[in-house]
Amino acid sequence: MSNSSVIDGDLYSSMSESEEEDVENLFLKVSVIELFCCGESSSSVHDAQYCDDIIGEHVHKPDVTVQLIPFKGLIFKSLKLAIKMYSEYAEIGGFDVRLSTQSRFDNKIIKKKNVICTSGVRRKRNSNSRAIGCQAMIMFESVYRTPDYKVFQFDELHNHPLEKRSNLKKARQISYSEKEFIVRASTSKIGPTMAHKLMASLRGGYEFVKPKVIDYNNLRRDINMVIGYKDAQMILNTMNDRRSHYPNYSFEFNCQDDVLDYMFWADEMEKAYYAEFGDVISFDATYRTKKYRMAFLKTHGKEPTLFLTDQDCAIKQAVENVFRNSKHRLCMWHIMKKLTKKKRTDSQISDDLFTNTDFRKRFSKLIWDINLKPDVFEVKWGLLMKEFNLEDTRWFKDMFTIRDSWIPGYFCDIPMCGLMKTTSRSESMNSFFNTYSESGNLLLNFMMNYNTAIQKQRNTQRELDKASKEA
């Protein structure tokens, strides 16, 4: 070849649009460590001075057929073809590369573009020391008044051993199907490390999974970086799109100072369930929903007959202000749960009380009897308190004062009054969703996990309906 040789597609074929995207995706990721640790100009990265403790006395030359070795003055029809050539050369030669620095004409046309070897970069975690990499590189320069690019500089030698082609990052690239598998696995609370383990099991061994665990983890990291601050907006776009295209889909949200404050949604099936079975509503404040102005009544259009909550004062006031025609009662499950904790905070309640099976049995029977009239209940309560010396115990006195808010005998005329421990189902539901989601998830992750959980729940419901009809 002469120094004026032109690569026009005979030796290196032109790239399709998808291949061009692959090249861009391969090179456009800038090393954060180099960016923040090196802190030097591009020329210093490829300075002729070598660091003795990194390079030593040995250099390595890629074993590549002479026809594929670039040389100064070699011309290409486009910059992408030039980059593709060096990428293929690097793959055969046994090293990884990425796009590096560039300069432009009037901030428009690229004048010069560097592509560097990344296989020899030595990085130190939690350190501000400079990371010195391999000096092998190629620089392409624009040919004046043409779309062509030529090799302006080519440094062939490496300061590190070259690798097998199968060990290069390019060979470890994650396929689209694997990316989809990683994302879908995350909807069932399966992280990238476990997803890699599962993929190896499905394919019959780790040797059949080219990407490594770190590649799976890096993909998850990159996805989160791409979503980043756009997380809330992506959720709003998705939910607004559903509202526009799904029949009878409701979605409400509010922003404060450009920050998503709250959101509430319900699809057609959820509305249908509430219309048929919405007599009793359990309001769970476990996740501090009292902070948000929920749009429940606007969405469903009718109030429930009975509203169950825990003893949170703010919730009680909000429920009574919004659901004016509903009866508000306290959840027995929460009350009894708090009782078992009182021995740690109330010195008047002794440990012996909770080990006394006679008291526990008689107390439970007293408070759970839906057929016990209020006047009879009050007499039996007084006798029980006197027998176990609990008359002056603050918690029992306070609970007797609000007995009409939680003792079934005071509202046995209300249908389904026996569901006074309904909020225990909320705790069960929280546990169910926790098997699909986890703290620290982005909103987009949460929504995907929520959708998976709902699909599981509704599929179970369909199976139970079918079994019931066939019974």
Side-chain angles (χ1 to χ4, degrees):
M1 292 185 179
S2 67
N3 287 351
S4 61
S5 297
V6 177
I7 302 299
D8 60 2
D10 293 335
L11 184 58
Y12 302 103
S13 59
S14 300
M15 291 190 294
S16 65
E17 292 184 3
S18 61
E19 288 175 327
E20 291 177 1
E21 291 177 358
D22 288 341
V23 170
E24 293 177 358
N25 292 333
L26 176 63
F27 294 110
L28 290 179
K29 294 181 180 177
V30 178
S31 167
V32 174
I33 293 181
E34 281 194 343
L35 189 62
F36 290 98
C37 293
C38 292
E40 307 223 3
S41 65
S42 60
S43 59
S44 66
V45 175
H46 299 291
D47 197 279
Q49 298 177 356
Y50 289 83
C51 181
D52 292 338
D53 64 334
I54 299 288
I55 298 176
E57 300 177 354
H58 303 286
V59 292
H60 303 267
K61 181 178 179 180
D63 184 12
V64 179
T65 181
V66 66
Q67 288 85 357
L68 298 179
I69 300 176
F71 52 87
K72 188 174 181 178
L74 182 62
I75 297 176
F76 300 85
K77 287 297 185 180
S78 70
L79 180 58
K80 287 185 178 181
L81 279 175
I83 293 172
K84 181 175 185 290
M85 177 279 301
Y86 193 63
S87 174
E88 292 176 348
Y89 163 79
E91 185 178 358
I92 297 171
F95 62 97
D96 289 302
V97 294
R98 70 166 174 83
L99 294 183
S100 184
T101 55
Q102 66 182 25
S103 60
R104 293 177 179 269
F105 292 110
D106 299 327
N107 294 324
K108 294 181 180 180
I109 300 174
I110 295 176
K111 180 181 180 181
K112 291 182 179 180
K113 186 72 176 183
N114 288 358
V115 184
I116 64 175
C117 170
T118 60
S119 295
V121 176
R122 181 173 296 180
R123 301 173 179 177
K124 295 182 179 181
R125 292 182 179 273
N126 303 319
S127 171
N128 291 324
S129 62
R130 178 185 175 192
I132 300 179
C134 178
Q135 307 300 309
M137 56 83 70
I138 193 167
M139 181 188 294
F140 299 107
E141 183 182 47
S142 173
V143 178
Y144 186 61
R145 289 187 176 180
T146 74
D148 299 347
Y149 280 81
K150 67 180 180 181
V151 176
F152 179 78
Q153 180 180 342
F154 174 53
D155 296 334
E156 184 178 14
L157 301 181
H158 298 256
N159 65 357
H160 57 88
L162 300 170
E163 302 182 52
K164 292 182 179 180
R165 194 169 183 175
S166 58
N167 291 333
L168 296 176
K169 286 184 178 180
K170 185 172 183 179
R172 289 162 37 197
Q173 284 184 339
I174 304 175
S175 66
Y176 180 84
S177 61
E178 284 180 290
K179 292 178 182 178
E180 186 178 27
F181 176 77
I182 296 169
V183 173
R184 290 190 180 278
S186 70
T187 65
S188 293
K189 207 175 178 179
I190 298 175
T193 299
M194 182 57 70
H196 188 271
K197 186 176 181 179
L198 288 174
M199 182 61 74
S201 297
L202 291 171
R203 291 186 174 176
Y206 284 93
E207 65 270 25
F208 301 112
V209 183
K210 295 303 180 183
K212 300 182 184 299
V213 173
I214 190 173
D215 300 316
Y216 273 47
N217 279 284
N218 286 344
L219 175 68
R220 178 68 177 269
R221 177 204 64 196
D222 291 345
I223 290 174
N224 289 345
M225 288 179 63
V226 170
I227 295 173
Y229 66 91
K230 299 179 287 186
D231 187 31
Q233 188 60 56
M234 292 173 70
I235 281 292
L236 294 182
N237 293 343
T238 299
M239 301 301 280
N240 281 324
D241 187 62
R242 290 182 181 180
R243 182 171 57 182
S244 299
H245 295 91
Y246 291 178
N248 201 21
Y249 192 96
S250 294
F251 172 59
E252 302 290 338
F253 72 95
N254 186 66
C255 290
Q256 293 287 345
D257 299 324
D258 293 328
V259 175
L260 182 62
D261 186 31
Y262 76 82
M263 51 189 272
F264 181 90
W265 70 93
D267 62 20
E268 186 175 31
M269 186 170 293
E270 289 164 340
K271 291 182 179 180
Y273 285 156
Y274 177 76
E276 295 296 328
F277 310 110
D279 297 305
V280 179
I281 293 296
S282 164
F283 195 90
D284 179 21
T286 304
Y287 295 111
R288 296 179 292 180
T289 43
K290 61 180 176 288
K291 291 173 57 180
Y292 310 116
R293 297 180 292 277
M294 289 294 134
F296 182 91
L297 190 58
K298 178 181 178 180
T299 297
H300 292 288
K302 76 167 186 176
E303 298 184 23
T305 302
L306 182 65
F307 217 111
L308 297 176
T309 71
D310 64 6
Q311 290 176 263
D312 186 275
C313 295
I315 289 293
K316 180 178 184 297
Q317 182 178 0
V319 166
E320 293 176 351
N321 288 339
V322 176
F323 300 94
R324 299 180 181 276
N325 299 317
S326 301
K327 298 284 182 71
H328 178 223
R329 293 294 180 262
L330 300 179
C331 169
M332 288 281 285
W333 184 82
H334 272 106
I335 291 174
M336 296 305 294
K337 186 178 180 181
K338 287 182 179 180
L339 174 59
T340 60
K341 297 179 180 179
K342 287 299 175 179
K343 63 181 180 180
R344 298 195 298 267
T345 59
D346 194 335
S347 59
Q348 293 179 305
I349 301 178
S350 65
D351 292 341
D352 295 339
L353 184 66
F354 296 93
T355 59
N356 190 319
T357 56
D358 181 45
F359 171 78
R360 290 163 54 191
K361 181 178 179 180
R362 290 168 61 185
F363 184 74
S364 294
K365 183 178 179 180
L366 175 64
I367 63 174
W368 283 107
D369 192 344
I370 63 175
N371 297 314
L372 204 61
K373 300 299 182 182
D375 54 344
V376 178
F377 166 80
E378 293 170 7
V379 172
K380 289 190 174 185
W381 176 281
L383 293 174
L384 188 64
M385 296 297 106
K386 184 176 182 180
E387 181 176 348
F388 289 93
N389 298 317
L390 298 172
E391 295 168 289
D392 296 325
T393 303
R394 180 176 179 178
W395 186 85
F396 286 99
K397 290 175 66 175
D398 290 344
M399 295 312 300
F400 183 74
T401 302
I402 60 171
R403 58 192 179 278
D404 60 335
S405 295
W406 65 286
I407 298 299
Y410 286 84
F411 46 92
C412 57
D413 57 319
I414 298 177
M416 303 181 72
C417 65
L419 296 177
M420 289 300 289
K421 59 176 181 177
T422 303
T423 46
S424 64
R425 298 187 180 184
S426 296
E427 300 293 333
S428 176
M429 188 58 64
N430 291 338
S431 177
F432 170 73
F433 279 112
N434 282 340
T435 63
Y436 292 89
S437 189
E438 57 188 338
S439 61
N441 272 354
L442 297 174
L443 283 174
L444 203 61
N445 296 132
F446 165 77
M447 185 57 66
M448 292 171 62
N449 295 0
Y450 171 83
N451 291 338
T452 300
I454 290 296
Q455 290 172 11
K456 169 69 164 57
Q457 192 178 62
R458 291 180 178 177
N459 183 66
T460 301
Q461 181 66 45
R462 285 191 293 269
E463 291 177 348
L464 292 174
D465 288 343
K466 181 180 179 182
S468 178
K469 292 177 182 178
E470 294 176 352

